[in-house]
Amino acid sequence: MIHGIINVYKEKGYTSHDVVAKLRGILGQKKIGHTGTLDPDAEGVLPVCLGKGTRLCELLTDKDKVYETVLLLGQTTDTQDVSGEVLNTGSTQHLTNSEVCKAVESFVGPYLQIPPMYSALKVNGKKLYELAREGKTVERKARPVEIKGIQILEVDLPRVRMEVECSKGTYIRTLCHDIGEKLGCGGCMESLVRTRVERFLIKDSLRLEEIERLKKEDQILEAVIPVDQMFTSYKAAVVKNRWMALAKNGNVLPYQAVTVKDEPLADQEKIRLYDEEGQFIALYKWEEKRREYQIKKMFFNS
């Protein structure tokens, strides 16, 4: 079984679940999970976790993301993108580039965003998009999100191409809709490409056919980031044999149980712990009050 994370380029027409299903067939293993849904019409970076790497799915889902999108002004749809039914149209002839830029940039920072009906969020156990397809609309609570930054790449009205860095849970479709509302002409999303999730960049992503080729050529491990390399900010440490069983069972460890190059670690370190053969065991963190290392995340399977 392969363990780690692979940077997949999700193409248009695929759901995130489609990508996982296809990778299961390509790699011949079931334990695979994605790190955040991309709409079928969207494309770009989709980190996929393999084997023990599936324990990182939640961690990567929580990370900030960067998108390149095209906002189409003068049109409102039921899905908040151009795939939906047009509900209203509005003129953009009165708008100037500076007015548009000012409205776009006003969304930088925290704001309360109402999730779209066409989304996978659940209300009373049912996904919103399922209700929407039944012609139903339900009240959705506004959720706090944060637009970390917007870079306007091109204004060619009625279109605005921009790069958006945002927090977990942000809907770019809804951002486009909200900008259109603020300008008074309506707006929707015309295209969406996710260009970054945490350290995973679009320039390094691989399409499914490329991954299949690497597997056939027995070079697939070259495309997989090992689990422990996701934690390079943690100091690498080795557990001494005397405490090996404790470490591999996730027990607390005393100060003297771990070393770096045969020297005791300083207090208050976050560590990624290995056995003497170099096998990654777990993440530990020093707890000053108790004077011991406590488990943060286990990656060892006995």
Side-chain angles (χ1 to χ4, degrees):
M1 183 181 291
I2 300 172
H3 304 282
I5 301 91
I6 190 165
N7 183 0
V8 179
Y9 186 100
K10 190 197 84 65
E11 299 176 65
K12 283 186 179 181
Y14 290 115
T15 67
S16 300
H17 291 293
D18 290 338
V19 171
V20 168
K22 288 183 176 294
L23 279 177
R24 284 176 178 151
I26 293 170
L27 301 178
Q29 68 180 61
K30 291 183 178 180
K31 200 169 185 181
I32 299 178
H34 67 76
T35 58
T37 302
L38 265 180
D39 291 342
D41 287 340
E43 55 189 312
V45 173
L46 181 68
V48 175
C49 299
L50 314 172
K52 295 178 184 179
T54 54
R55 299 174 191 179
L56 301 177
C57 285
E58 186 177 339
L59 180 151
L60 287 172
T61 302
D62 287 343
K63 297 294 184 182
D64 293 346
K65 300 171 178 68
V66 178
Y67 298 87
E68 186 174 314
T69 188
V70 173
L71 158 64
L72 175 63
L73 292 170
Q75 181 172 292
T76 303
T77 72
D78 59 350
T79 59
Q80 299 183 345
D81 62 23
V82 293
S83 71
E85 180 183 344
V86 177
L87 302 176
N88 291 295
T89 58
S91 174
T92 61
Q93 292 183 352
H94 64 287
L95 295 176
T96 65
N97 285 10
S98 61
E99 287 174 326
V100 170
C101 291
K102 185 177 180 180
V104 169
E105 291 165 353
S106 72
F107 282 85
V108 175
Y111 95 100
L112 292 174
Q113 189 180 72
I114 298 175
M117 275 301 301
Y118 281 87
S119 65
L121 290 178
K122 289 185 177 180
V123 172
N124 297 325
K126 199 159 188 180
K127 292 178 179 176
L128 285 175
Y129 69 77
E130 293 173 340
L131 294 170
R133 287 171 183 169
E134 295 172 3
K136 299 176 182 177
T137 301
V138 297
E139 185 177 352
R140 289 96 66 203
K141 291 184 179 179
R143 304 189 308 170
V145 298
E146 184 176 0
I147 306 300
K148 303 293 180 75
I150 298 179
Q151 181 181 358
I152 297 171
L153 304 174
E154 182 182 10
V155 179
D156 184 14
L157 294 176
R159 291 172 176 80
V160 182
R161 188 167 62 91
M162 55 191 180
E163 182 182 83
V164 181
E165 181 177 1
C166 58
S167 65
K168 167 192 173 183
T170 304
Y171 287 91
I172 303 299
R173 285 182 287 141
T174 303
L175 174 65
C176 290
H177 171 87
D178 292 347
I179 293 169
E181 287 288 296
K182 184 160 189 172
L183 286 166
C185 60
C188 62
M189 186 182 76
E190 188 171 64
S191 66
L192 183 68
V193 179
R194 187 154 68 190
T195 59
R196 179 169 69 82
V197 177
E198 209 252 1
R199 73 186 65 186
F200 298 97
L201 305 176
I202 196 167
K203 68 180 181 66
D204 303 319
S205 60
L206 297 170
R207 297 175 187 267
L208 288 171
E209 61 265 26
E210 295 175 287
I211 295 171
E212 187 171 19
R213 177 180 56 79
L214 289 172
K215 182 66 168 63
K216 288 178 179 178
E217 295 173 355
D218 201 27
Q219 296 178 332
I220 188 62
L221 292 182
E222 295 177 11
V224 177
I225 296 178
V227 175
D228 61 322
Q229 293 307 302
M230 293 297 298
F231 303 100
T232 52
S233 62
Y234 288 57
K235 184 162 286 187
V238 177
V239 62
K240 296 177 182 177
N241 276 329
R242 177 181 168 185
W243 288 277
M244 187 74 70
L246 288 175
K248 289 185 175 181
N249 283 293
N251 296 111
V252 298
L253 298 171
Y255 168 75
Q256 65 270 27
V258 296
T259 61
V260 175
K261 296 181 179 178
D262 300 321
E263 295 294 333
L265 279 172
D267 291 354
Q268 300 177 350
E269 294 278 10
K270 293 188 298 184
I271 59 173
R272 44 193 164 101
L273 194 63
Y274 300 82
D275 63 20
E276 292 187 344
E277 283 70 48
Q279 183 177 16
F280 182 42
I281 300 173
L283 300 176
Y284 272 83
K285 184 178 180 182
W286 176 256
E287 293 293 338
E288 179 63 28
K289 286 184 179 180
R290 297 188 179 186
R291 302 291 297 170
E292 63 190 14
Y293 284 99
Q294 294 186 355
I295 188 80
K296 283 195 69 182
K297 192 83 172 176
M298 172 61 73
F299 291 94
F300 176 78
N301 287 333
S302 55

